[in-house]
Amino acid sequence: MQDTFVIEGLAGKRTLKGAIAVSGAKNAALKLMAASLVFRDRVVLKNVPDIEDVRRMADLLAHLGAKISFSRGTMEIMPPQNGNLPEIAPDIAKRMRASVVLTGPILARYGKVSFPHPGGCVIGARPIDIFIKGFDAMGARSVSDAKGYRIVTRGAHLVGAEIFFRKQSVTATETFMIAAVLAKGTTVLKNAAMEPEIEDLAKFLIAGGARVSGVGTPTVTIHGGGFLSMRGKTHTTTPDRIEAGSFLILAALAGQDVEVTRLNPAHLESLTAALTEAGVPLSVGKTSIRVHPKGKVPKLISQSIQTHEYPGFPTDLQAPMTILLTQAHGEAMVFETIFEGRLNYTESLKGMGADITMMDPHRILVKGPEPLKGRNLESPDLRAGLAFVIAATIAKGRSVIHNVYNIDRGYENIEGRLRKIGVKIERIPA
Ligand code: UD1
């Protein structure tokens, strides 16, 4: 049994008020933690969110022999000194996609790695062929069976290589950036992903002495050079742009005057552009964005969206944005281009009263505005889980959201923070 959220909906009223602060990015923190394996001494990370996935990644590192302490957003990691268990603990890895990033540093350090097929949100097939091909190019052989994969370097080390990614992949780009630090020679990643979390990882590696260039462009070059050292410096995790974007969408729907703080507006341009087009008044500051700054209540206008690799519209904000579109005037198409199973949650929205037509697994048509009614909901994955919290907040009546583990995986104390701005949300422990 898992905890549930009970939410009393605002029935379309705009009553939320106040400031809500954004945590450090899950999708950055997990990779920074994985990268600690290519450091020779203690690593100190700040602004690390206290969430399930971070705790599980800490367990995976501990399984490898790392010593970890974590308190009030600061994580200290002492990398394993002479670890000899190059395995990603299967029971944990099966729950979390980001575990696959550990393959890079483990293989680079120990010359071998074994792991199960990585789990995570059920939003599509999520294959790992790009990883296998990349390791092959860097001089490693892989075998797989029902239990998972085993990869071994042909020589003592990985060797630098030119790797063209068939698709832009966030975790593959990160995995090979980290692995290349310990590889012999130069690695060039082509058609690399450009997400801000990758830039954060690069900053961390560079602070430790790595030679990485081209991050933020599709061609990233890494000169291998051996273990890194922070020499007492700390690294602060970049803000979570997905959490920030979800709060902005909630504020656009139910806010009277809400300020989302501790974010980086430059990471949110595709969303702020879409919200502005939809008629949401925003006031963009240096590290915060205020929604409805003059207290005006706008009529939301429908906007079609198409998910895209960064800097395009993030697939991780597709579900929250769809909630907004159910309340906007007109008809919008939502085109999910990255994952093939990422629109299934819309069935539940239809149950709440939304007018949504599934055209094919990648496209839906949303007609609005349609008032939503509170319902029993099952959080299907992390991002759609938070989208359901938004839907329940604007709906009429009470909603109960089950499977809250899927929300806790990605968002720290979400109910406490949402309550502060006026969301009527309670956690019922299992
Ligand atoms: C990361 C994020 C996730 C986000 C996604 C897209 C983490 C932990 N997760 O996931 O929140 O939704 O980026 O922004 O950072 N693909 C292959 N073969 C591979 C690898 C990927 O075909 O070996 C495909 C995927 O199925 C998908 C596309 O490439 O269609 C992009 O996926 P990718 O960027 O790898 O997503 P993740 O890194 O898993």
Side-chain angles (χ1 to χ4, degrees):
M1 271 293 281
Q2 292 180 10
D3 294 1
T4 50
F5 281 150
V6 176
I7 298 175
E8 295 294 342
L10 302 172
K13 291 194 205 76
R14 294 169 183 274
T15 56
L16 305 184
K17 252 187 185 173
I20 183 161
V22 174
S23 303
K26 167 183 96 78
N27 282 351
L30 295 172
K31 324 313 171 43
L32 299 171
M33 291 171 71
S36 71
L37 291 176
V38 297
F39 282 75
R40 79 162 64 84
D41 52 9
R42 198 173 64 122
V43 158
V44 181
L45 302 173
K46 304 243 180 200
N47 201 28
V48 176
D50 190 353
I51 53 177
E52 279 292 323
D53 274 18
V54 160
R55 297 225 165 238
R56 296 298 77 81
M57 180 60 95
D59 291 344
L60 289 173
L61 290 172
H63 183 78
L64 292 161
K67 300 266 179 292
I68 297 159
S69 72
F70 184 30
S71 161
R72 297 167 154 264
T74 299
M75 180 171 285
E76 293 194 17
I77 307 172
M78 188 51 127
Q81 294 308 301
N82 43 18
N84 54 6
L85 185 73
E87 175 197 68
I88 307 180
D91 47 330
I92 308 171
K94 279 186 198 148
R95 284 198 264 164
M96 188 170 71
R97 174 75 183 181
S99 63
V100 73
V101 177
L102 284 170
T103 55
I106 297 179
L107 188 60
R109 256 186 96 126
Y110 305 115
K112 53 188 165 190
V113 61
S114 57
F115 58 101
H117 196 86
C121 292
V122 187
I123 52 181
R126 306 189 91 176
I128 63 160
D129 58 298
I130 293 174
F131 295 78
I132 303 293
K133 280 211 185 86
F135 287 133
D136 183 60
M138 292 182 85
R141 271 181 298 116
S142 38
V143 285
S144 65
D145 60 22
K147 276 196 187 149
Y149 303 84
R150 193 177 146 73
I151 309 180
V152 183
T153 54
R154 292 192 185 90
H157 295 283
L158 286 177
V159 285
E162 261 196 39
I163 303 172
F164 182 87
F165 295 130
R166 166 179 77 76
K167 269 187 173 183
Q168 283 191 345
S169 160
V170 176
T171 39
T173 302
E174 294 162 334
T175 302
F176 287 95
M177 260 169 60
I178 304 171
V181 165
L182 293 188
K184 205 167 160 2
T186 299
T187 299
V188 183
L189 307 177
K190 295 184 174 171
N191 199 25
M194 299 183 282
E195 270 64 7
E197 293 75 23
I198 298 172
E199 198 182 328
D200 198 36
L201 172 64
K203 272 192 197 152
F204 176 51
L205 297 173
I206 290 167
R211 288 179 296 153
V212 182
S213 59
V215 170
T217 78
T219 307
V220 177
T221 304
I222 307 106
H223 299 285
F227 281 91
L228 308 178
S229 167
M230 284 301 268
R231 296 199 176 78
K233 285 178 290 188
T234 63
H235 179 88
T236 301
T237 313
T238 196
D240 198 314
R241 65 196 164 96
I242 305 303
E243 184 179 274
S246 305
F247 291 164
L248 289 172
I249 290 169
L250 173 65
L253 284 165
Q256 209 176 85
D257 189 351
V258 173
E259 189 173 23
V260 185
T261 63
R262 299 192 62 187
L263 51 71
N264 184 343
H267 294 168
L268 284 155
E269 279 178 328
S270 60
L271 176 67
T272 49
L275 290 177
T276 304
E277 287 280 301
V280 179
L282 301 174
S283 161
V284 180
K286 248 178 139 178
T287 57
S288 65
I289 299 178
R290 204 167 150 197
V291 185
H292 303 161
K294 296 190 189 80
K296 277 197 217 144
V297 177
K299 177 174 144 182
L300 296 172
I301 307 147
S302 239
Q303 291 301 314
S304 287
I305 56 157
Q306 178 167 341
T307 63
H308 195 278
E309 293 82 1
Y310 188 83
F313 196 94
T315 170
D316 285 351
L317 283 176
Q318 179 259 107
M321 190 67 186
T322 298
I323 311 292
L324 184 129
L325 295 174
T326 66
Q327 303 308 305
H329 292 253
E331 195 174 280
M333 162 127 74
V334 175
F335 187 4
E336 168 58 59
T337 66
I338 315 273
F339 293 110
E340 64 279 15
R342 215 171 193 182
L343 290 167
N344 297 338
Y345 71 92
T346 55
E347 271 308 307
S348 303
L349 292 185
K350 281 164 61 176
M352 296 178 85
D355 184 343
I356 297 178
T357 312
M358 175 88 73
M359 299 165 77
D360 61 52
H362 284 279
R363 291 178 307 157
I364 51 168
L365 211 55
V366 187
K367 281 190 203 155
E370 283 297 338
L372 302 183
K373 294 178 282 290
R375 280 282 180 274
N376 257 331
L377 299 161
E378 195 78 31
S379 171
D381 67 71
L382 213 144
R383 309 302 182 185
L386 188 55
F388 281 177
V389 171
I390 298 173
T393 301
I394 62 170
K396 185 166 188 227
R398 170 181 295 202
S399 294
V400 179
I401 302 182
H402 299 275
N403 234 345
V404 164
Y405 174 78
N406 261 337
I407 300 175
D408 291 336
R409 277 189 49 211
Y411 303 100
E412 177 178 336
N413 181 23
I414 192 72
E415 70 276 23
R417 288 187 291 154
L418 290 177
R419 253 198 314 267
K420 273 203 187 142
I421 58 166
V423 176
K424 294 175 188 154
I425 177 169
E426 294 295 335
R427 177 185 291 263
I428 312 293

